[in-house]
Amino acid sequence: MLQTDFQIKNQILEAIIDNAFEWVVVVDPEGVIRFMNKTYCEFLEVDSKEVIGKHVTEVIENTRMHIVAETGEKEIADLQFIKGNYMIANRIPIFHEGQVVAALGTVIFRDTEQWKKMNSHVKSLFSELEFYRKEWTANNGAKYSLNDLVGNSEAMLELEKRVKKISSGDISVLVRGESGTGKELFAHSIHQLSERSTAPFVKVNCAAIPEHLLESELFGYVEGAFTGAKKGGKVGKFILANGGTLFLDEIGDMPLQMQVKLLRVLQEKEIEPIGANKTEKVNVRVIAATNRPLEKMVQEKLFREDLFYRINGFQLHIPALRERKDDLLPLINHFLEKVTRRTGKRIQGMENNVMQVFRRHNWPGNIRELENVIEAAVHLTYGETIDLEALPDYLTEQESLRVGNKSLKELLEQTERNALIDALNQNDGNKLAAAKTLGIGKSSFYEKLNKYGLL
């Protein structure tokens, strides 16, 4: 009776092991297989009776079972490449009276289809994680640092020193400079060098957001705050930046009504989402940037004086490209390498007369304009060096602008056309802003664009 019970229990145990989710193999101290369950044999396409007595390396590829049996050191969750897939293997030595008498090996997956399903699931999760990581970097993370700064002119070296000095504190910073000088790069760099570098960096372009949406963008709103408010409400940029840095780009374009509300937040260090009945504390360092003459705007009552002093804790002026033409060559080389790497074109450099044109040009659009010119020139170049024909017309036309070559009318029209192009470059193609820069009305500006074929 006892013998029968033992046989039944033994059969049950063998059935369980044979049909277990894991693959199971047992080897002796010499690495010879003494047991392999049915599912493992099926996967390896071997006969369960024939494998017994064979060395494990003859049956399982990339195995380490014999090594574990020899050393007595277990290996947990090790990746093992079997039949074209990475499997997760556990190898455990079995001791008796202090000696290794066997080694037990298990592999998690019963068949490759299950592994593939899990592998696809993991890849899907990684893909989703990467998507959110990129979104976070784009919307809530600093992408640049001082390592991205190109130029070795005295002005830029001095600017780099100043950035390093003021980054560690919590003082508010006002970054000033013309459009295209790289103000955002310096804002990112200050955050990266600060004690807040591991916290969020959140950017708000005050000129790009409509006035009626700016308050909800900055402060957020609660559910049901107004018609059309989305379910669950909206988290504002101040809350998103809590503990980190909020970069207010183009702050000179912020409406007066919003300036009042921003000032209160900066003074009280608390916000009140639209529709909420209580305030929330925030701890945010503010970096603002503008290309507008804020002092003049204060005099004209277009910008609040108290807000100006609040954001102007430390002022950082980014010089225009025409003020640091020693940086032209390193910047050109940098953009050439960047564009040719992306396009696959082989451009060795540029002709001397092209460099002369670059040095004579005033670069109203600054570094952004230079990058656009280089990119266009690379696409229009069919040889290994950039020549004058690859440059935009407005650059080469300026070279031919000499009294005696053309009538006064032609000279005036050419000058007017160049002014329109420069204004558009300076304002990133924004026609309303370009018209304002030139001091002319919208309709007049569009008429001139149409006249010179610039629409």
Side-chain angles (χ1 to χ4, degrees):
M1 181 69 178
L2 290 174
Q3 180 68 23
T4 304
D5 287 344
F6 178 78
Q7 290 175 340
I8 293 173
K9 289 178 180 178
N10 194 45
Q11 289 173 355
I12 292 173
L13 182 60
E14 284 185 6
I16 291 172
I17 295 174
D18 266 342
N19 294 282
F21 184 76
E22 294 90 355
W23 302 326
V24 180
V25 63
V26 178
V27 301
D28 64 17
E30 283 72 43
V32 175
I33 296 175
R34 295 304 175 191
F35 174 80
M36 181 178 283
N37 71 342
K38 188 174 84 174
T39 53
Y40 207 170
C41 290
E42 288 174 352
F43 171 73
L44 295 174
E45 298 178 332
V46 295
D47 189 289
S48 58
K49 294 177 182 178
E50 291 180 1
V51 297
I52 305 302
K54 287 187 177 181
H55 196 271
V56 68
T57 55
E58 297 178 43
V59 181
I60 306 173
E61 62 180 312
N62 301 311
T63 184
R64 290 176 52 85
M65 287 296 297
H66 57 300
I67 298 174
V68 171
E70 180 183 348
T71 63
E73 295 181 5
K74 64 182 178 182
E75 298 178 352
I76 304 297
D78 184 46
L79 284 177
Q80 183 176 342
F81 193 75
I82 308 175
K83 296 186 71 172
N85 290 290
Y86 280 101
M87 308 295 179
I88 300 175
N90 297 312
R91 309 179 189 99
I92 304 169
I94 299 172
F95 293 88
H96 178 69
E97 295 181 354
Q99 298 292 320
V100 178
V101 295
L104 169 69
T106 63
V107 178
I108 288 180
F109 298 97
R110 176 176 295 189
D111 54 50
T112 53
E113 287 306 312
Q114 290 182 351
W115 167 257
K116 287 176 182 176
K117 286 178 183 177
M118 180 176 176
N119 198 29
S120 297
H121 180 61
V122 170
K123 285 180 179 177
S124 174
L125 290 175
F126 270 117
S127 176
E128 187 175 353
L129 179 64
E130 181 66 11
F131 169 79
Y132 286 117
R133 187 192 67 78
K134 286 181 178 177
E135 188 178 66
W136 172 263
T137 301
N139 299 316
N140 301 294
K143 297 182 290 184
Y144 309 114
S145 70
L146 285 180
N147 294 326
D148 296 299
L149 188 63
V150 178
N152 48 25
S153 65
E154 187 177 336
M156 296 311 288
L157 293 176
E158 181 60 32
L159 193 57
E160 189 174 343
K161 288 180 185 176
R162 299 189 76 195
V163 168
K164 290 177 179 177
K165 284 181 181 178
I166 56 100
S167 293
S168 59
D170 257 357
I171 188 171
S172 58
V173 181
L174 179 59
V175 186
R176 308 190 72 167
E178 296 178 6
S179 177
T181 51
K183 296 187 291 295
E184 184 174 344
L185 184 150
F186 285 94
H188 285 238
S189 301
I190 292 169
H191 174 77
Q192 295 279 34
L193 292 170
S194 74
E195 299 297 319
R196 298 172 179 261
S197 59
T198 57
F201 177 89
V202 178
K203 174 188 173 183
V204 178
N205 189 320
C206 302
I209 303 171
E211 182 176 348
H212 66 283
L213 296 178
L214 189 55
E215 183 176 1
S216 64
E217 193 70 22
L218 287 173
F219 309 137
Y221 56 80
V222 298
E223 184 175 340
F226 50 83
T227 303
K230 67 180 182 181
K231 189 175 182 180
K234 176 184 174 68
V235 179
K237 300 296 188 185
F238 267 95
I239 292 297
L240 288 175
N242 199 18
T245 304
L246 182 65
F247 176 43
L248 298 174
D249 197 11
E250 306 294 351
I251 195 169
D253 293 275
M254 180 176 283
L256 277 169
Q257 183 182 357
M258 275 305 304
Q259 292 178 30
V260 177
K261 296 179 180 181
L262 175 62
L263 178 64
R264 180 184 175 279
V265 171
L266 299 182
Q267 288 175 336
E268 305 298 330
K269 300 187 184 305
E270 60 182 25
I271 64 150
E272 185 176 332
I274 299 173
N277 52 19
K278 63 178 181 178
T279 59
E280 298 180 50
K281 288 287 183 183
V282 288
N283 172 21
V284 172
R285 183 186 194 179
V286 170
I287 300 176
T290 186
N291 61 358
R292 305 285 296 277
L294 293 185
E295 293 86 353
K296 184 179 178 182
M297 292 177 67
V298 167
Q299 293 175 359
E300 295 173 352
K301 306 298 181 184
L302 297 174
F303 199 87
R304 290 186 63 93
E305 185 176 16
D306 42 9
L307 178 59
F308 173 69
Y309 290 123
R310 176 65 65 173
I311 63 174
N312 194 29
F314 184 91
Q315 195 167 131
L316 206 62
H317 176 73
I318 315 301
L321 184 54
R322 62 181 171 275
E323 297 170 8
R324 55 182 186 105
K325 289 196 175 178
D326 288 345
D327 291 331
L328 259 177
L329 189 56
L331 281 166
I332 289 168
N333 291 334
H334 170 73
F335 291 134
L336 267 178
E337 182 183 354
K338 179 180 174 182
V339 178
T340 53
R341 186 171 61 245
R342 189 176 69 246
T343 60
K345 297 191 74 170
R346 185 180 177 185
I347 306 292
Q348 299 295 328
M350 57 185 62
E351 296 180 358
N352 289 333
N353 54 359
V354 172
M355 195 64 198
Q356 290 171 6
V357 170
F358 281 3
R359 288 198 175 279
R360 280 194 286 263
H361 185 54
N362 272 334
W363 299 105
N366 293 292
I367 297 170
R368 186 185 292 114
E369 181 187 1
L370 176 62
E371 183 175 12
N372 291 338
V373 167
I374 295 295
E375 181 153 9
V378 168
H379 285 288
L380 293 172
T381 297
Y382 298 99
E384 293 189 352
T385 56
I386 295 174
D387 56 22
L388 287 176
E389 291 183 2
L391 298 184
D393 290 342
Y394 76 91
L395 282 179
T396 53
E397 283 174 0
Q398 288 176 357
E399 291 301 296
S400 61
L401 190 57
R402 299 287 184 269
V403 175
N405 293 338
K406 298 182 179 181
S407 68
L408 178 60
K409 180 183 177 183
E410 289 173 327
L411 289 172
L412 290 173
E413 286 181 344
Q414 186 169 328
T415 302
E416 186 175 51
R417 185 179 190 277
N418 290 339
L420 293 170
I421 293 171
D422 286 348
L424 287 169
N425 285 331
Q426 188 175 330
N427 292 280
D428 304 329
N430 186 317
K431 294 183 177 63
L432 293 180
K436 188 183 293 185
T437 299
L438 293 172
I440 59 178
K442 181 175 71 172
S443 58
S444 177
F445 184 74
Y446 275 90
E447 285 175 8
K448 293 180 185 297
L449 290 179
N450 185 52
K451 175 181 176 182
Y452 298 113
L454 299 175
L455 276 176

